[in-house]
Amino acid sequence: MARPSDLQAPRGTRDFYPEDLRLRSWLFAHFREVSRRFGFEEVDAPVVEHAELFTRKAGEEIVEQLYHWEMHDRHLALRPEMTPSIARMVMARAGALRLPLRWFTVTQNWRYERMTRGRKREHFQWNMDVWGEPGVGAEAELLAAIFALLERVGLGGGQVRIQLNSRALLEETLRAGVLRERPEAFEPLCVIVDKLAKIGADAVVEQLRDPAGAVRLSADEARDVVGLLGVTGLDDAAAAAPPGSHAVAELRRLFELLAAYGVADRVDFDASVVRGLAYYTGVVFEAYDADRKLRAVCGGGRYDRLLETLGGPRIPAVGFGFGDVVIAELLADHGLLPALARGLDDVVCALGEAQRPAAIALAQRLRASGRSVELVLGDTRPKRVLADADKAGAARVWLLGPDEAARGVVRVRELATGAERDEALS
Ligand code: HAM
C-alpha cells in the first residue's frame, strides 16, 4: 500500500486544479498571443531527451540539477530548459530552414532545485528564440516582446525592469588581460561570477582562485574581475573596454533600437549580469521586479556558438526563457491575478427520467451552437440545480419537467436577473 507521502505530488511539483489551470491557460494565452504578434511560430520537443544533450562541463547549476536515469542502456534526462532541444531541432534541418527563424515554445521543465520563493522543481517556460541573425536587431525584438507580455498582464508601468550586459564585453576585456593565455576559462568564469549576488564577492574571489578549479586566477586578478562587474553605466564600461570595442558599439546600437520600441527607459546596463548558463556569448539580460524582492522573471541572451559545440554548423542565435512561477508571484503581490470564471454558459436539467432524451437533444443543440453546457447527471432537485449553476457562473438554466415536456417547451431561467420564460423545445 502507498505511504501517505507517496500520495502527494513530489516536493516542488504542482497539481493544477481547475482554478489553477485557468490561470495557467490565461498566462499561456498571453505568451502565445505576444509570440504571434511578433511573427514567431510554436514548436515543441520531447520532455525526455538524451542526458548528453544537457551535460556540459563548465560547472553550471543546471547540470547538477538534472533529473536523469539509465534505462535500457540509455542515459536519459527530463529537460531542464528548452534551448538544447531547440538547437537539436535546428541542427537536424540546418540546411533546409529559412533564416532568420523565429520559434517559440511553452513547455514544462525540470530542475532538482533547492527550493525558495519562486523556484520549483518543475516549471513552465515561455521561450522565444531567433536563429540566424547576428545583429542586435534580434535582441531588440525579443526585449520588446517581453515588455509586450508585461503590458498585457498589467505590469507595463515600470514594475519590471530589464538588466542587460554583454558577455562579449567581459570576454574582450579578459582576453586582453587575465585570460590572454587561457580563453577556455571564460565559460567557467562566467558561471562563477553569476553567483555574485547570491554568495558575495569574497566567495566569488575564492572560487576564481581555487587551484583545483577551472579558472585559477591570482587573488589580484580575481578581485579585478569582480571590480569589472561593479560598473553600472555604459560609458564607464566603454572606458574600461579595449579601444574600438565591438561589444560596446553593439550595446549602444541596441539601446538606440530599444528607444525606437519605446522601452529603453525600462532597460539598465548592468555589468554584473552574466547569466549562469555556459553557452551565452554576447548580450545577456534578466528581468526583475523593480523592488528586487523576487528572483528573475525571465532571462536570456545570445548564444552564437551552441550549435557548434553540439557538432553542428555555426548559426548565431539569441533568445529568452520566461517562467510561469515568478510572474505569478509578482502578479499576486500587485493584486493583478485575474478572477477567472469557469466559462460555463448553460445548465440543462431533466427533472424526470422521461424528459432526459429531450434534455439531451437540447444540450446537444446548444453545444453545437458553441455554448458550454453542463447536463445535470445526478441530483435534479431544482433548488440544488439552480444553486450549483449560480456557483459555477452559468448564464442560464434550462429546466425540463413533465409539464413543460407535455407543452413542448422548456423553462429558461436567466441567472443574472432571475427572469424566467418558456421556450419552444424544437
Ligand atoms: P534560465 O534563466 O535558467 O534560462 O530560466 C529562464 C527563466 O525560467 C527564469 O528567469 C525563471 O523565470 C524560470 N525558471 C528557471 N528555473 C526555474 C525554477 N526552478 N522554478 C521556477 N522558474 C524557473 C534558461 O533556461 C535559458 N534556456 C533561457 C534561454 C532561451 N536563453 C536563450 N534562449
Side-chain angles (χ1 to χ4, degrees), residues 81 83 111 113 118 120 125 127 129 275 279-280 297 319 323:
E81 56 163 338
T83 312
R111 301 180 188 183
E113 294 261 7
K120 300 207 174 291
Q125 237 187 54
N127 280 234
D129 290 270
R275 308 270 299 136
Y279 50 64
Y280 292 115
V297 173

Side-chain angles (χ1 to χ4, degrees), residues 67-127:
Y67 280 86
H68 63 108
W69 65 95
E70 306 263 351
M71 195 175 173
H72 303 303
D73 294 331
R74 297 262 186 282
H75 187 193
L76 301 169
L78 290 176
R79 65 176 168 219
E81 56 163 338
M82 236 7 233
T83 312
S85 300
I86 294 173
R88 185 177 61 62
M89 289 172 70
V90 170
M91 198 159 107
R93 296 202 178 166
L97 293 167
R98 200 175 79 82
L99 302 177
L101 67 79
R102 300 164 171 87
W103 281 356
F104 81 95
T105 54
V106 183
T107 62
Q108 193 180 36
N109 306 284
W110 295 82
R111 301 180 188 183
Y112 197 81
E113 294 261 7
R114 262 195 37 234
M115 282 188 319
T116 53
R117 187 172 181 214
R119 285 285 121 157
K120 300 207 174 291
R121 291 187 177 155
E122 55 79 22
H123 70 281
F124 285 85
Q125 237 187 54
W126 168 43
N127 280 234

Side-chain angles (χ1 to χ4, degrees), residues 128-143:
M128 286 177 82
D129 290 270
V130 179
W131 284 79
E133 172 51 48
V136 290
E139 276 87 337
E141 277 277 279
L142 294 170
L143 294 169

Side-chain angles (χ1 to χ4, degrees), residues 166-177 179 183 186 190 242 280-282 305:
S166 169
R167 261 199 198 178
L169 183 63
L170 188 63
E171 193 171 2
E172 276 177 354
T173 310
L174 297 183
R175 284 207 171 161
L179 295 186
F186 182 66
C190 287
Y280 292 115
T281 54
R305 296 194 284 264

